[in-house]
Amino acid sequence: RRGETASQTVTFRVQHVNRPPVVDDLRPFYVRARGQNTYKIDGNVVRDEDGDPLVFVPVAETLPEGAKLTSAGDVTWTPSQNQFNQLKSKPAYIEFWAEDQPAKT
């Protein structure tokens, strides 16, 4: 009331914890012969609980020849007849990394 003020220095310590993306079970990617096949990685199945943007990075060793995985999670593949025949007896698995905060180091 008299115009008096008081001040005090307070130190806050903020510890940032960046949680990794969460990947639940993905639905299978069924392909047809003689045509381009597309698959979109579901944003509800692969998500970041911090709300950070995600990018997808394919593991090149597991990506079938001719297949492409975009950073947005879109897979396209037109399997050759030989590749398609091999899939009948043995499924193929495509591995990828889900990275959050792609613009940061």
Side-chain angles (χ1 to χ4, degrees), residues 23 26 29 41 56-64 67-70 75 92-98:
V23 181
L26 297 169
F29 177 25
I41 297 175
F56 298 94
V57 180
V59 175
E61 295 82 24
T62 66
L63 203 59
K68 293 182 179 135
L69 170 62
T70 68
V75 180
Y93 293 92
I94 298 173
E95 295 179 15
F96 62 89
W97 288 93

Side-chain angles (χ1 to χ4, degrees), residues 23-27 39 45:
V23 181
D24 294 330
D25 289 335
L26 297 169
R27 62 182 171 79
Y39 179 88
V45 176

Side-chain angles (χ1 to χ4, degrees), residues 2 9 35 56 59 65-66 103:
R2 298 185 216 156
T9 302
F56 298 94
V59 175
E65 185 177 345

Side-chain angles (χ1 to χ4, degrees), residues 11-105:
T11 303
F12 287 98
R13 180 174 178 216
V14 178
Q15 182 177 355
H16 175 70
V17 176
N18 181 33
R19 294 176 287 183
V22 175
V23 181
D24 294 330
D25 289 335
L26 297 169
R27 62 182 171 79
F29 177 25
Y30 296 104
V31 296
R32 293 183 316 265
R34 296 182 213 94
Q36 184 178 39
N37 298 274
T38 59
Y39 179 88
K40 173 75 175 164
I41 297 175
D42 187 354
N44 293 320
V45 176
V46 180
R47 64 195 177 286
D48 185 78
E49 294 180 349
D50 298 323
D52 298 327
L54 291 175
V55 294
F56 298 94
V57 180
V59 175
E61 295 82 24
T62 66
L63 203 59
E65 185 177 345
K68 293 182 179 135
L69 170 62
T70 68
S71 61
D74 298 315
V75 180
T76 56
W77 184 32
T78 304
S80 67
Q81 189 61 47
N82 188 35
Q83 288 172 319
F84 185 77
N85 291 337
Q86 289 175 354
L87 289 173
K88 291 178 183 179
S89 61
K90 182 181 175 190
Y93 293 92
I94 298 173
E95 295 179 15
F96 62 89
W97 288 93
E99 293 183 356
D100 63 344
Q101 300 183 357
K104 298 180 182 179
T105 57

